[in-house]
Structure formats: C-alpha cells, structure tokens
Amino acid sequence: MTAMTAVLFRNGLVLTMDDAHTVLPGADVLVVDERVAEVGVGLTAPPGAVEIDATGGIVMPGMIDTHRHLWQTAMRGYGADWTLTQYFVWYYLESGRHFRPEDIHAGNVLGALEALDAGVTTTVDWSHGLQTPQHADAAADALESVPGRFVLAYGNIQQGPWEWATSPEFRDFVSRRIGGNDLLGFQMAFDVTGDPAFPERAAFEVARELGVPVTTHAGVWGATNDDGIRLMHEHGFMTPSTVYVHAATLTHDSYQRIAATGGSVSVSTESEQSAGQGYPPTWQLRDHGIPVSLSMDTSVWWSGDLFSAMRATLGADRSREHLQAHDRAETVTHVHLRAEQVVDWATRGGSRALGLDSVVGSLQPGRKADVVLLKNDDSPVMFPILNPYGHVAFQAQRGDVHTVLVNGRIVKRDHKLVGADLAKARQDVERTVEHLIATMGPEAWARGMNPDIPATKVLDNPYTYTEWTNA
Ligand SMILES: [Zn+2]
C-alpha cells in the first residue's frame, strides 16, 4: 500500500457548487489521496499534508469544457479573422488531411496543458481529425501524457460516420484504449447532415451497442439543422447523454425534442458570436428548460479558458435581452442570467452533461478532488471579493489560477504547471507548423490566415463638416 497523500487548502473563500451552492468564507478543503475528504472551517491537517494558504483566494471545483478540438491548438490564433465558412474550407476540404499523427499529438498536448493552466480540469477533446488508427492512438497518447481528466470524443471529418464508426479499426481502438483509465472517458463525435436517408444511423447504432454517448454539432447555420434533430428523434437516438454542441439555429420544435429526451447543450459563446453558427442560445435553452454546459471550441480562434466563456455568455445573453426590449421600447430592469448561473454551467453543467456529476463538478466529501484555487497576491483585481460568483465570472482570469488539483494530484502550483515540459510541447508544435507551411506552400498559408475584408461603404451624411478639416 502506498502512503496516503493529503493536500489542505487553508482559509479560502470556498465555492462548493453543491446542490445548495453553499459558500464558505474562511474555510478549508482537505484532499486525501484522490478525493475530497472534508470541507469546513478549521480542519485538522493529517501528518505530512501539503498545506496551501488560500487566504485572499477562491477555492472552487475544477472547470469542465464539454467541446474543444484540442488538435487544432497547433494552429493557435491562425483563424482569428475566420468565419465558419473559412474554417470549413481550411479544415474539412483543404488542409485538415495534412495533419499527421504527430501533429494531432502536438496539438493535443499543448491544448491539454493550456486547459490545466486555466483551471479546466476536464476537457472533452472533440477529436475529429482521426483519419487513421495511428491518429487516434496519437490523440489518446497525448491525453494520457497530461495529468488532466479528458473525454476523447472520437471523430473523423475525412469520412462519413457510417464509414469510420463501423470499421474494425474503430472497434479495435475502443477495445484497446478505452475503459481502463479512470481519467480518460469516451464519446463518439459526428454531425447529422439531415439527409433523409439518415446514413448516420449506422454510427448511432454502434454508439448504442457500445453504450457510448454521442456529441454532435447541431443547429449550426448552413451546416446542420432541424432535419438532423428530427431524424435522430424519430429513430430513437436522442438520449440524456447526448450533447448538442451550439444548438444555435434551431426551431422551438427541435428544442422541445432535446428537452423531452433529457439531453444537454454545450454553448460555445465566443465561437457562435464570431464564427456564425447562430446566436448563443442560452435564452432559448432557458425558455425550454434544457441543461447547459460551456465550451471553448477551438484555439484556432480562441483560448481554452472558461473565464472567457463565462464572460462572453453573460454578455451575449444580457445583450440580447436588452436589445429585444429596446425594440419593444421597453427597459430591462432585472436581467435573467446571473453570474452564479454561469459558474454553475462551467462546473456542474459540465459534470452533468458528461454523466460525471457524482464524480466531479463540486467540492463535497467523496468527490474526486479536481480543485482550483484562484489567488493572486500581486493582482489589484483580487480584492475586495464581495460577490464571489461575479468575481469568478467577470474579474478573474487564467493568470489568477494559482493551484490546480486533478484527481488529488497537484498539476499547477504557485501559478506554474508542475512537471510540464513546455519546451518539448513548443518544439513539437513548431514542427507541425513547419510541416503545414511546407505542404501548403507559404502563399496558401498566408492567404489562409488573412481572408479578404468585404468593402465597407460609409453612409451619406447630410451634415457638412465645417468645424474641422483633415490636416
Ligand atoms: Zn466544434
């Protein structure tokens, strides 16, 4: 038997995110081995416990991202000015096939480290670049090399799901790689085009046979729509474990089908706002009583931290509420979406969506110890902490993530990742970038990053500028 390891967070403002959303000022969180042992004031440290002073900080559950294409982190920021159309052309039609297994590995390692650094302890790797079993092994190897909790959502945009999901290689991968590791979950990731022949049926049948949840980009303007939802529903493939990503461009009827079958929606607000899947649907989901989790989608545009997701989601929901009221010549005096709600979505929303709610998502005795301490004594933004949920959603950022535990193990401490080989991660990603530039050619590479800007016509102005002239 190995010796017990214990970590005690001392004297923090503890957001337990339990069902009652209990907040404990000046409280301690004791972690023994893999689990939260106790949460309360003035706990006794077991002999040999690592004590972490949480004074002035917020202790909360690790955050959960339910949809991120980690392999695309190798292209960090490249598509900052893209629309969804440009993304589809680049990844689906032209260049996605250039990624080798080592490129999937490089992107995954970097994105996984980035998540831990930001206090995201569970990430669904929506891995739709798995062209061969070697690519899939590379993705799984990368996730297993980083000490976070991951769900590998297996996908392959180079084939129809009815092809890859029914292949012996896919079965072989699942039997070889999935189920033995507590920290690596599994989903199947594919989209439903709405083709009346419903060819995706074969992939859903495999998922059902394997007992594996399906995650699907649904309600994406110009790509997936109500027909896909209807086909899934009519064939009995909508389940409580189904995760609908974006679900932005859908009708009332589709939201009702999702609500009635118990599934949840992964909202990627920054993505929906910039790429154009549809308006971030939190207002629709609220009206239909559909559970929500948050996600960052891809670092080809955005970073992988959920502070951005919480902030953007509050902004989008409230912005729409005000705008619609102004159209009716009304004033919103009380907003619906609260900071507390988005912190819940970033933690419990994710654990519920992934069927892990009894495992992670809250700080309660017996839960696996995925814990984040937000504390930054050098930051003028860390005091006063008056509204703790508001502080997490609107004030804190990744630089304030002081300590992170996953499964009881310290993976970040004093603002630094523990044992992460960033030099190696950098070298591997640089090799991927070199390979892509060499394969595409420098001109195509530059063109891909800098899409044309549509012309803007300045409106005619009836007023004459008399007070100033251009010097
Ligand atoms: Zn996506």
Side-chain angles (χ1 to χ4, degrees), residues 67 69 87 126 128 217 245-246 268 271 277 297-298:
H67 152 245
H69 308 291
Y87 169 86
W126 222 101
H128 55 358
H217 292 114
V245 175
H246 303 304
S268 303
S271 182
Q277 293 91 344
D297 204 347
T298 170

Side-chain angles (χ1 to χ4, degrees), residues 190-196 198 200 204 214-221 223-239 242-266 281 285 288 290:
F190 57 89
D191 300 341
V192 181
T193 61
D195 176 348
F198 194 43
E200 297 86 2
F204 280 109
V214 170
T215 176
T216 186
H217 292 114
V220 172
W221 179 268
T224 58
N225 58 31
D226 294 308
D227 292 333
I229 297 289
R230 184 180 44 76
L231 286 162
M232 285 174 68
H233 192 226
E234 285 171 359
H235 289 84
F237 292 121
M238 291 175 75
T239 76
T242 309
V243 177
Y244 307 85
V245 175
H246 303 304
T249 304
L250 291 174
T251 58
H252 174 62
D253 177 72
S254 286
Y255 290 119
Q256 287 192 315
R257 292 180 199 253
I258 293 172
T261 49
S264 65
V265 168
S266 174
L285 305 176
H288 291 90
I290 295 171

Side-chain angles (χ1 to χ4, degrees), residues 403-462:
T403 296
V404 180
L405 265 63
V406 178
N407 219 36
R409 173 175 170 185
I410 299 175
V411 300
K412 184 180 184 184
R413 188 167 183 192
D414 291 332
H415 301 280
K416 268 189 121 69
L417 289 168
V418 176
D421 192 345
L422 286 184
K424 173 85 165 67
R426 177 196 294 261
Q427 198 178 64
D428 290 350
V429 158
E430 283 172 354
R431 284 210 184 98
T432 291
V433 171
E434 280 164 20
H435 159 70
L436 291 167
I437 295 175
T439 307
M440 296 169 63
E443 259 179 58
W445 171 267
R447 211 171 38 246
M449 186 158 40
N450 300 292
D452 294 339
I453 307 175
T456 303
K457 185 178 179 302
V458 177
L459 300 176
D460 290 334
N461 188 335

Side-chain angles (χ1 to χ4, degrees), residues 143-176:
L143 299 181
E144 290 189 332
S145 75
V146 176
R149 200 178 293 278
F150 300 100
V151 175
L152 177 63
Y154 192 113
N156 175 8
I157 51 177
Q158 304 301 331
Q159 285 184 7
W162 53 92
E163 296 171 299
W164 62 258
T166 56
S167 70
E169 293 78 16
F170 174 70
R171 291 298 181 116
D172 175 60
F173 175 84
V174 173
S175 63
R176 279 190 297 111

